[in-house]
Amino acid sequence: MDQASQAAPAHALDPSSSQILVEHDRKRRQFVIRLNGSHDRAVLLYEYVGKKTVDLQHTEVPDAYRGRGIAKHLAKAAMDFVVEEDLKAHLTCWYIQKYVKENPQPQYFEHIYQ
C-alpha cells in the first residue's frame, strides 16, 4: 500500500472497498457506516478520556452484515483518526485490539497505550 492511500482521510472512498463510506460524527463521537440505504448502521463508539486521549470503546455491526469486513473499515477509520489528530488511544474494544494485531502499522503502535 502506498503512502497516499494510508494517509487518506477517514471519509475517503477506497475503490477496493465496494464503496463503503465511513462517516465521522465528531459531535456524537462515533464512526458510522450506513447500510441498506441508511436503514441499518454499523458504528464504532469512542470517548475522550483526556485532552489528547481517546478510548475506542465499542464496535457494533448488525447481525445480518457480520462477516463482511465492515468492522474493519470502522477500525481503520478510528485508528487513522487517532494518528492524524496525534492522540493516544486506549483500546477497550476487543475488535480494535484484534484489528491492530492483524494490521500492524508502526504509526498505530506509537499512539496506543500499552
Side-chain angles (χ1 to χ4, degrees):
M1 187 179 268
D2 64 13
Q3 287 288 334
S5 60
Q6 284 183 349
H11 57 272
L13 285 177
D14 175 3
S16 66
S17 70
S18 304
Q19 304 303 311
I20 289 178
L21 175 65
V22 180
E23 298 173 35
H24 185 185
D25 184 340
R26 289 175 183 264
K27 187 188 273 185
R28 291 193 172 120
R29 293 179 293 283
Q30 62 186 7
F31 291 88
V32 180
I33 297 174
R34 295 179 194 283
L35 306 161
N36 189 23
S38 83
H39 178 71
D40 295 314
R41 300 167 358 125
V43 296
L44 185 153
L45 307 174
Y46 67 93
E47 194 69 56
Y48 277 91
V49 293
K51 191 170 184 171
K52 298 286 281 175
T53 307
V54 293
D55 182 6
L56 302 178
Q57 297 176 320
H58 181 65
T59 305
E60 191 169 320
V61 177
D63 289 343
Y65 297 92
R66 291 193 179 154
R68 300 187 197 181
I70 291 169
K72 181 188 257 185
H73 292 280
L74 291 169
K76 180 182 186 320
M79 289 307 301
D80 288 349
F81 161 69
V82 167
V83 171
E84 288 162 13
E85 299 284 324
D86 196 25
L87 303 171
K88 285 288 191 181
H90 290 285
L91 306 185
T92 301
C93 174
W94 69 267
Y95 182 83
I96 297 173
Q97 294 171 13
K98 175 179 178 254
Y99 173 81
V100 169
K101 191 178 286 186
E102 292 175 355
N103 299 275
Q105 303 288 330
Q107 69 269 27
Y108 290 170
F109 294 119
E110 294 167 17
H111 292 271
I112 296 171
Y113 277 114
Q114 297 298 338

